Amino acid sequence: MLTAHLDDSEADGASRILLLAGYIADTQRWLDFGNEWQPWLDKPPAIKALKMTAVYSPKASPWNAMTDPEKDARLEGFARIANKHALVGVQSIVDLVDYDEAKEMESAVPSEDPLYVAFSNTMRWISKQYTKAGRTDGLSIVFDMPSSPKAKKRMKTLFDGILDLGHMKGFEDVAKIDSVTFGDDEVLLPLQAADMMAWSFNRKYNEPNELERPLLSVIREKRIGGYAYAPSVKKLMGPEAFEQYQARMRKREWLGDSNATARR
């Protein structure tokens, strides 16, 4: 079974980017991942679960016992574990400013909810790569559990609707997704890796002039595919990062049994 574990880094009032991100691997790779991730959590000072919002929070946590270089080293270790075991990373970007402008044009966007675009693009990309790789071992997608019942209902309505489009042109591969479910990131360790990626890229896209954190540099070493609904994303990412992003998008083989990284 191939499983994609995904998290969203949804925009707040000060943000212009909505982003879904995470990693894809088969059952054995995820088991091997957990066998390395958990000991890295348990390494003193022990961390119950990797939640990126806690890393730089002033609230009391094990992270406050670490110096900045120690935090960087700990986070880079998490990223290297993800890079080692995942087949590929995935992200879907929606530039909310561009999206709002497009909504003013009749039939310019498929839905009033930009999260639909992020979900649709992500589910279509994952299922398309599954088909291209000739896999038949099953495909599932697990999203991090939303923080409220209202958010969960919104998300479930959206991805149920996308699954129902499997008979339509352009959505044929979506019909190969066996299940789309929610998971608890304190139980499903791969969701912590998804949170790490989503937080890191959302931070970079919303703070393009900020010096790139060592963590993001390590995350970028992994092949990352997906889609962007963001005509101005080149401006947000910067020319060099955007060229790297495009190079990753052009790769033809994503889900083969390979751990090769994209050339930076």
Side-chain angles (χ1 to χ4, degrees), residues 196-208:
M196 174 183 69
M197 183 195 284
W199 184 94
S200 298
F201 276 113
N202 194 53
R203 176 84 183 187
K204 179 61 177 177
Y205 296 152
N206 282 292
E207 301 291 341

Side-chain angles (χ1 to χ4, degrees), residues 8 10 113 115 119 143-159 182:
D8 69 292
E10 182 140 16
D113 191 340
L115 192 57
F119 276 2
F143 288 101
D144 187 33
M145 183 69 72
S147 58
S148 70
K150 182 178 180 180
K152 180 179 179 180
K153 181 178 179 181
R154 172 196 178 197
M155 293 174 70
K156 189 174 188 312
T157 299
L158 289 173
F159 61 62
F182 295 111

Side-chain angles (χ1 to χ4, degrees), residues 84-194:
K84 177 181 178 181
H85 296 289
L87 284 169
V88 69
V90 59
Q91 65 170 280
S92 180
I93 307 165
V94 178
D95 184 317
L96 297 174
V97 174
D98 291 338
Y99 201 80
D100 284 342
E101 291 176 355
K103 281 198 298 186
E104 296 177 4
M105 302 168 60
E106 186 176 358
S107 302
V109 296
S111 170
E112 285 292 311
D113 191 340
L115 192 57
Y116 171 89
V117 175
F119 276 2
S120 175
N121 285 347
T122 303
M123 292 166 68
R124 291 170 66 191
W125 188 87
I126 292 171
S127 58
K128 182 178 181 180
Q129 304 313 316
Y130 176 83
T131 299
K132 288 174 67 176
R135 301 190 72 121
T136 58
D137 50 339
L139 176 61
S140 65
I141 297 177
V142 182
F143 288 101
D144 187 33
M145 183 69 72
S147 58
S148 70
K150 182 178 180 180
K152 180 179 179 180
K153 181 178 179 181
R154 172 196 178 197
M155 293 174 70
K156 189 174 188 312
T157 299
L158 289 173
F159 61 62
D160 281 351
I162 295 165
L163 288 174
D164 287 341
L165 297 177
H167 63 284
M168 295 181 61
K169 185 176 180 179
F171 286 82
E172 299 92 341
D173 295 319
V174 170
K176 297 181 181 180
I177 299 174
D178 295 297
S179 65
V180 182
T181 59
F182 295 111
D184 182 347
D185 63 2
E186 292 191 5
V187 177
L188 289 176
L189 301 182
L191 288 174
Q192 297 176 28

